[in-house]
Amino acid sequence: GDSVTQMEGPVTLSEEAFLTINCTYTATGYPSLFWYVQYPGEGLQLLLKATKADDKGSNKGFEATYRKETTSFHLEKGSVQVSDSAVYFCALVVTNNNDMRFGAGTRLTVKP
Amino acid sequence: NAGVTQTPKFRVLKTGQSMTLLCAQDMNHEYMYWYRQDPGMGLRLIHYSVGEGTTAKGEVPDGYNVSRLKKQNFLLGLESAAPSQTSVYFCASSYRTGRLGTEAFFGQGTRLTVV
């Protein structure tokens, strides 16, 4: 079935460090791909998305490129801040399907 | 601008007790979902609804029932709670899914402990 695999955490970085969180997917159709972020005590909120191959989603300095050849959607940020500390979830929705599948989540802690 | 509201936010149940979690959205969304979040497992879909009066099973439906009598509300019921149902429950809604990457909006979660 459709699924998402993302790198296990936790990830701890110093402020201004470069961030990569890996995400790969398995899907029988043509998925849309998402990154959601969950701040402490809150629900998930959309960070960025891409709906077709080679699309790049970006928001708040974060980027991810939909790579069909490697079935990947890795999240990157050039310079993280303490306020980026959160749990990040990769997710997919397959076209004409009715549910989203999430990865296990990666906890990021950024230290000053 | 409430978005998705879940009640209650916290609850402790004894094994065998029943309860209903309420989700309400004010965005006129067709699709609504219930997920559970467990450590190391991400979010898993319990049940979902594609419109008023319709429901469908997700990945982990056993032990739960749902109802969507009104478009804005989606109820999740536990008829006989078990310790394995200790989790954080999230409700979400969206205009559609699987079409042009439609975004889902999440509630703040309900932390349920079954003792």
Short mmCIF file of all heavy atoms in Angstrom, two decimals, chain B residues 6 8-15 17-21 34-38 46 63-64 76-90 109-115:
data_model
loop_
_atom_site.label_atom_id
_atom_site.label_comp_id
_atom_site.label_asym_id
_atom_site.label_seq_id
_atom_site.Cartn_x
_atom_site.Cartn_y
_atom_site.Cartn_z
N GLN B 6 -11.59 20.64 18.66
CA GLN B 6 -11.81 19.33 19.26
C GLN B 6 -12.16 19.49 20.72
O GLN B 6 -11.56 20.29 21.43
CB GLN B 6 -10.56 18.47 19.17
CG GLN B 6 -10.17 18.05 17.78
CD GLN B 6 -8.92 17.18 17.78
OE1 GLN B 6 -7.98 17.43 17.05
NE2 GLN B 6 -8.93 16.13 18.58
N PRO B 8 -13.20 16.76 24.20
CA PRO B 8 -12.38 17.56 25.13
C PRO B 8 -10.92 17.58 24.71
O PRO B 8 -10.54 16.94 23.74
CB PRO B 8 -12.55 16.80 26.44
CG PRO B 8 -12.65 15.36 26.01
CD PRO B 8 -13.44 15.40 24.72
N LYS B 9 -10.09 18.29 25.43
CA LYS B 9 -8.65 18.31 25.16
C LYS B 9 -7.91 17.21 25.91
O LYS B 9 -6.86 16.73 25.47
CB LYS B 9 -8.08 19.67 25.52
CG LYS B 9 -8.54 20.78 24.58
CD LYS B 9 -7.85 22.08 24.86
CE LYS B 9 -8.12 23.11 23.76
NZ LYS B 9 -9.53 23.18 23.34
N PHE B 10 -8.43 16.83 27.06
CA PHE B 10 -7.83 15.77 27.87
C PHE B 10 -8.95 14.91 28.46
O PHE B 10 -10.02 15.42 28.76
CB PHE B 10 -7.01 16.34 29.04
CG PHE B 10 -5.92 17.26 28.63
CD1 PHE B 10 -6.13 18.62 28.59
CD2 PHE B 10 -4.67 16.77 28.29
CE1 PHE B 10 -5.13 19.50 28.22
CE2 PHE B 10 -3.65 17.64 27.91
CZ PHE B 10 -3.89 19.01 27.87
N ARG B 11 -8.66 13.60 28.61
CA ARG B 11 -9.64 12.75 29.25
C ARG B 11 -8.94 11.51 29.76
O ARG B 11 -8.05 10.97 29.09
CB ARG B 11 -10.73 12.35 28.26
CG ARG B 11 -11.87 11.55 28.85
CD ARG B 11 -12.80 12.39 29.70
NE ARG B 11 -13.80 11.56 30.35
CZ ARG B 11 -15.00 11.32 29.84
NH1 ARG B 11 -15.34 11.84 28.65
NH2 ARG B 11 -15.84 10.55 30.48
N VAL B 12 -9.35 11.07 30.93
CA VAL B 12 -8.88 9.80 31.48
C VAL B 12 -10.10 8.89 31.62
O VAL B 12 -11.10 9.27 32.22
CB VAL B 12 -8.19 9.98 32.85
CG1 VAL B 12 -7.77 8.62 33.41
CG2 VAL B 12 -6.99 10.92 32.72
N LEU B 13 -10.01 7.70 31.06
CA LEU B 13 -11.09 6.73 31.11
C LEU B 13 -10.64 5.47 31.82
O LEU B 13 -9.45 5.12 31.78
CB LEU B 13 -11.52 6.32 29.70
CG LEU B 13 -12.36 7.26 28.85
CD1 LEU B 13 -12.65 6.61 27.51
CD2 LEU B 13 -13.65 7.62 29.55
N LYS B 14 -11.58 4.77 32.41
CA LYS B 14 -11.28 3.45 32.92
C LYS B 14 -11.60 2.43 31.83
O LYS B 14 -12.47 2.65 30.98
CB LYS B 14 -12.12 3.16 34.16
CG LYS B 14 -11.77 4.05 35.36
CD LYS B 14 -12.59 3.68 36.57
CE LYS B 14 -12.19 4.54 37.77
NZ LYS B 14 -13.00 4.23 38.97
N THR B 15 -10.89 1.33 31.86
CA THR B 15 -11.12 0.26 30.89
C THR B 15 -12.59 -0.13 30.89
O THR B 15 -13.18 -0.35 31.96
CB THR B 15 -10.25 -0.95 31.22
OG1 THR B 15 -8.87 -0.56 31.13
CG2 THR B 15 -10.51 -2.08 30.26
N GLN B 17 -15.08 1.78 29.84
CA GLN B 17 -15.95 2.95 29.74
C GLN B 17 -16.08 3.39 28.29
O GLN B 17 -15.25 3.04 27.44
CB GLN B 17 -15.41 4.11 30.59
CG GLN B 17 -15.61 3.94 32.07
CD GLN B 17 -15.16 5.16 32.85
OE1 GLN B 17 -14.11 5.75 32.59
NE2 GLN B 17 -15.96 5.55 33.85
N SER B 18 -17.11 4.18 28.04
CA SER B 18 -17.31 4.70 26.69
C SER B 18 -17.19 6.21 26.70
O SER B 18 -17.34 6.85 27.75
CB SER B 18 -18.68 4.30 26.16
OG SER B 18 -19.70 4.87 26.97
N MET B 19 -16.89 6.78 25.54
CA MET B 19 -16.87 8.23 25.42
C MET B 19 -16.95 8.62 23.94
O MET B 19 -16.74 7.78 23.06
CB MET B 19 -15.61 8.84 26.03
CG MET B 19 -14.35 8.72 25.22
SD MET B 19 -13.06 9.86 25.77
CE MET B 19 -13.79 11.44 25.41
N THR B 20 -17.27 9.88 23.73
CA THR B 20 -17.34 10.43 22.38
C THR B 20 -16.47 11.67 22.30
O THR B 20 -16.55 12.55 23.16
CB THR B 20 -18.79 10.80 22.02
OG1 THR B 20 -19.61 9.63 22.09
CG2 THR B 20 -18.86 11.38 20.61
N LEU B 21 -15.66 11.71 21.26
CA LEU B 21 -14.86 12.89 20.97
C LEU B 21 -15.56 13.67 19.86
O LEU B 21 -16.00 13.09 18.86
CB LEU B 21 -13.46 12.52 20.49
CG LEU B 21 -12.42 12.07 21.53
CD1 LEU B 21 -12.82 10.74 22.15
CD2 LEU B 21 -11.05 11.98 20.90
N TRP B 34 -10.36 11.34 11.35
CA TRP B 34 -9.85 11.12 12.69
C TRP B 34 -8.57 10.30 12.61
O TRP B 34 -8.53 9.25 11.96
CB TRP B 34 -10.86 10.36 13.56
CG TRP B 34 -11.88 11.23 14.19
CD1 TRP B 34 -13.21 11.35 13.86
CD2 TRP B 34 -11.68 12.12 15.29
NE1 TRP B 34 -13.83 12.25 14.67
CE2 TRP B 34 -12.92 12.74 15.56
CE3 TRP B 34 -10.58 12.45 16.08
CZ2 TRP B 34 -13.08 13.68 16.59
CZ3 TRP B 34 -10.74 13.38 17.09
CH2 TRP B 34 -11.98 13.98 17.34
N TYR B 35 -7.53 10.82 13.26
CA TYR B 35 -6.25 10.14 13.34
C TYR B 35 -5.89 9.89 14.80
O TYR B 35 -6.32 10.62 15.70
CB TYR B 35 -5.13 11.02 12.76
CG TYR B 35 -5.15 11.19 11.28
CD1 TYR B 35 -5.88 12.22 10.69
CD2 TYR B 35 -4.43 10.34 10.45
CE1 TYR B 35 -5.90 12.39 9.31
CE2 TYR B 35 -4.44 10.50 9.07
CZ TYR B 35 -5.17 11.53 8.51
OH TYR B 35 -5.17 11.68 7.16
N ARG B 36 -5.04 8.89 15.00
CA ARG B 36 -4.40 8.74 16.30
C ARG B 36 -2.90 8.86 16.10
O ARG B 36 -2.35 8.45 15.08
CB ARG B 36 -4.77 7.43 16.98
CG ARG B 36 -4.44 6.16 16.25
CD ARG B 36 -4.82 4.95 17.08
NE ARG B 36 -3.96 4.76 18.25
CZ ARG B 36 -4.16 3.87 19.21
NH1 ARG B 36 -5.21 3.06 19.16
NH2 ARG B 36 -3.33 3.77 20.22
N GLN B 37 -2.27 9.48 17.09
CA GLN B 37 -0.82 9.69 17.04
C GLN B 37 -0.16 8.96 18.19
O GLN B 37 -0.44 9.26 19.36
CB GLN B 37 -0.49 11.18 17.11
CG GLN B 37 1.00 11.48 16.99
CD GLN B 37 1.31 12.95 17.11
OE1 GLN B 37 0.59 13.72 17.76
NE2 GLN B 37 2.39 13.39 16.48
N ASP B 38 0.71 8.04 17.85
CA ASP B 38 1.43 7.27 18.85
C ASP B 38 2.93 7.42 18.63
O ASP B 38 3.38 7.56 17.48
CB ASP B 38 1.04 5.79 18.75
CG ASP B 38 -0.45 5.58 18.96
OD1 ASP B 38 -0.89 5.87 20.09
OD2 ASP B 38 -1.15 5.17 18.03
N ILE B 46 -7.99 6.59 11.39
CA ILE B 46 -8.95 5.70 12.04
C ILE B 46 -10.19 5.55 11.15
O ILE B 46 -10.54 4.46 10.71
CB ILE B 46 -9.36 6.24 13.42
CG1 ILE B 46 -8.13 6.46 14.30
CG2 ILE B 46 -10.32 5.27 14.10
CD1 ILE B 46 -8.43 7.18 15.60
N GLY B 63 -12.49 -0.94 17.16
CA GLY B 63 -12.71 -0.37 18.49
C GLY B 63 -13.26 1.03 18.48
O GLY B 63 -13.50 1.62 19.54
N TYR B 64 -13.48 1.57 17.28
CA TYR B 64 -13.98 2.95 17.13
C TYR B 64 -15.20 2.97 16.22
O TYR B 64 -15.30 2.17 15.30
CB TYR B 64 -12.92 3.86 16.52
CG TYR B 64 -11.60 3.89 17.23
CD1 TYR B 64 -10.56 3.07 16.83
CD2 TYR B 64 -11.39 4.77 18.30
CE1 TYR B 64 -9.34 3.10 17.46
CE2 TYR B 64 -10.16 4.81 18.94
CZ TYR B 64 -9.14 3.96 18.52
OH TYR B 64 -7.92 4.00 19.15
N LEU B 76 -16.22 10.84 17.05
CA LEU B 76 -15.50 9.58 17.21
C LEU B 76 -15.91 8.96 18.53
O LEU B 76 -15.76 9.59 19.58
CB LEU B 76 -13.99 9.82 17.20
CG LEU B 76 -13.12 8.58 17.40
CD1 LEU B 76 -13.17 7.67 16.19
CD2 LEU B 76 -11.67 8.99 17.69
N GLY B 77 -16.39 7.72 18.47
CA GLY B 77 -16.84 7.04 19.68
C GLY B 77 -15.99 5.84 20.02
O GLY B 77 -15.52 5.12 19.14
N LEU B 78 -15.77 5.68 21.33
CA LEU B 78 -15.15 4.47 21.86
C LEU B 78 -16.21 3.79 22.70
O LEU B 78 -16.65 4.34 23.72
CB LEU B 78 -13.94 4.81 22.72
CG LEU B 78 -12.65 5.26 22.03
CD1 LEU B 78 -12.77 6.66 21.50
CD2 LEU B 78 -11.48 5.16 23.01
N GLU B 79 -16.65 2.62 22.30
CA GLU B 79 -17.75 1.96 23.01
C GLU B 79 -17.28 1.30 24.30
O GLU B 79 -17.98 1.31 25.30
CB GLU B 79 -18.40 0.92 22.11
CG GLU B 79 -19.17 1.55 20.96
CD GLU B 79 -19.91 0.50 20.15
OE1 GLU B 79 -19.62 -0.70 20.31
OE2 GLU B 79 -20.79 0.89 19.35
N SER B 80 -16.09 0.72 24.26
CA SER B 80 -15.54 0.03 25.43
C SER B 80 -14.03 0.25 25.41
O SER B 80 -13.30 -0.50 24.78
CB SER B 80 -15.88 -1.46 25.38
OG SER B 80 -15.34 -2.12 26.50
N ALA B 81 -13.59 1.29 26.10
CA ALA B 81 -12.20 1.71 26.00
C ALA B 81 -11.23 0.64 26.52
O ALA B 81 -11.51 -0.06 27.51
CB ALA B 81 -11.99 3.01 26.77
N ALA B 82 -10.09 0.56 25.83
CA ALA B 82 -9.02 -0.37 26.21
C ALA B 82 -7.72 0.42 26.38
O ALA B 82 -7.54 1.46 25.74
CB ALA B 82 -8.85 -1.43 25.14
N PRO B 83 -6.80 -0.06 27.20
CA PRO B 83 -5.52 0.65 27.37
C PRO B 83 -4.79 0.89 26.06
O PRO B 83 -4.07 1.89 25.92
CB PRO B 83 -4.74 -0.28 28.30
CG PRO B 83 -5.79 -0.96 29.10
CD PRO B 83 -6.94 -1.19 28.15
N SER B 84 -4.98 0.00 25.08
CA SER B 84 -4.31 0.17 23.78
C SER B 84 -4.83 1.40 23.02
O SER B 84 -4.23 1.82 22.02
CB SER B 84 -4.53 -1.07 22.91
OG SER B 84 -5.91 -1.28 22.69
N GLN B 85 -5.92 1.97 23.49
CA GLN B 85 -6.47 3.16 22.87
C GLN B 85 -5.94 4.46 23.51
O GLN B 85 -6.34 5.56 23.12
CB GLN B 85 -8.00 3.13 22.89
CG GLN B 85 -8.56 2.00 22.02
CD GLN B 85 -10.06 1.92 22.07
OE1 GLN B 85 -10.66 1.79 23.14
NE2 GLN B 85 -10.70 1.97 20.91
N THR B 86 -5.06 4.31 24.45
CA THR B 86 -4.36 5.47 24.99
C THR B 86 -3.53 6.10 23.87
O THR B 86 -2.70 5.43 23.26
CB THR B 86 -3.44 5.06 26.15
OG1 THR B 86 -4.24 4.61 27.24
CG2 THR B 86 -2.56 6.24 26.60
N SER B 87 -3.80 7.36 23.58
CA SER B 87 -3.17 7.99 22.43
C SER B 87 -3.54 9.47 22.41
O SER B 87 -4.31 9.95 23.25
CB SER B 87 -3.65 7.31 21.13
OG SER B 87 -2.94 7.79 20.00
N VAL B 88 -2.99 10.17 21.43
CA VAL B 88 -3.44 11.53 21.14
C VAL B 88 -4.24 11.46 19.85
O VAL B 88 -3.77 10.91 18.84
CB VAL B 88 -2.27 12.52 20.99
CG1 VAL B 88 -2.81 13.91 20.68
CG2 VAL B 88 -1.42 12.54 22.25
N TYR B 89 -5.45 11.98 19.89
CA TYR B 89 -6.36 11.90 18.75
C TYR B 89 -6.46 13.27 18.08
O TYR B 89 -6.68 14.29 18.74
CB TYR B 89 -7.74 11.43 19.21
CG TYR B 89 -7.73 10.00 19.66
CD1 TYR B 89 -7.37 9.66 20.97
CD2 TYR B 89 -8.04 8.97 18.78
CE1 TYR B 89 -7.32 8.34 21.38
CE2 TYR B 89 -8.00 7.65 19.19
CZ TYR B 89 -7.64 7.34 20.49
OH TYR B 89 -7.59 6.03 20.89
N PHE B 90 -6.31 13.25 16.77
CA PHE B 90 -6.42 14.48 15.99
C PHE B 90 -7.54 14.36 14.98
O PHE B 90 -7.67 13.35 14.29
CB PHE B 90 -5.11 14.78 15.24
CG PHE B 90 -4.02 15.30 16.12
CD1 PHE B 90 -3.03 14.46 16.57
CD2 PHE B 90 -4.01 16.63 16.50
CE1 PHE B 90 -2.01 14.93 17.39
CE2 PHE B 90 -3.00 17.12 17.32
CZ PHE B 90 -2.01 16.27 17.76
N GLY B 109 -5.90 18.52 19.10
CA GLY B 109 -5.69 17.19 19.64
C GLY B 109 -6.43 16.94 20.94
O GLY B 109 -6.73 17.86 21.70
N THR B 110 -6.71 15.66 21.19
CA THR B 110 -7.29 15.20 22.46
C THR B 110 -6.38 14.13 23.02
O THR B 110 -6.14 13.12 22.36
CB THR B 110 -8.69 14.60 22.25
OG1 THR B 110 -9.57 15.61 21.77
CG2 THR B 110 -9.23 14.03 23.56
N ARG B 111 -5.87 14.36 24.22
CA ARG B 111 -5.01 13.37 24.85
C ARG B 111 -5.88 12.46 25.71
O ARG B 111 -6.46 12.91 26.70
CB ARG B 111 -3.93 14.04 25.69
CG ARG B 111 -2.94 13.07 26.31
CD ARG B 111 -1.80 13.78 27.01
NE ARG B 111 -0.98 14.55 26.08
CZ ARG B 111 0.01 14.03 25.35
NH1 ARG B 111 0.31 12.75 25.46
NH2 ARG B 111 0.72 14.79 24.54
N LEU B 112 -5.96 11.20 25.31
CA LEU B 112 -6.81 10.23 26.01
C LEU B 112 -5.94 9.17 26.68
O LEU B 112 -5.06 8.59 26.06
CB LEU B 112 -7.76 9.54 25.02
CG LEU B 112 -8.60 8.41 25.60
CD1 LEU B 112 -9.59 8.95 26.62
CD2 LEU B 112 -9.34 7.66 24.49
N THR B 113 -6.21 8.96 27.95
CA THR B 113 -5.53 7.91 28.70
C THR B 113 -6.56 6.92 29.20
O THR B 113 -7.55 7.32 29.82
CB THR B 113 -4.75 8.50 29.89
OG1 THR B 113 -3.81 9.47 29.40
CG2 THR B 113 -4.00 7.41 30.64
N VAL B 114 -6.33 5.64 28.92
CA VAL B 114 -7.23 4.59 29.40
C VAL B 114 -6.47 3.77 30.43
O VAL B 114 -5.42 3.19 30.14
CB VAL B 114 -7.71 3.70 28.26
CG1 VAL B 114 -8.71 2.65 28.79
CG2 VAL B 114 -8.35 4.53 27.16
N VAL B 115 -7.02 3.74 31.65
CA VAL B 115 -6.32 3.04 32.74
C VAL B 115 -7.05 1.76 33.13
O VAL B 115 -8.21 1.57 32.80
CB VAL B 115 -6.15 3.97 33.96
CG1 VAL B 115 -5.31 5.16 33.59
CG2 VAL B 115 -7.52 4.40 34.50
#
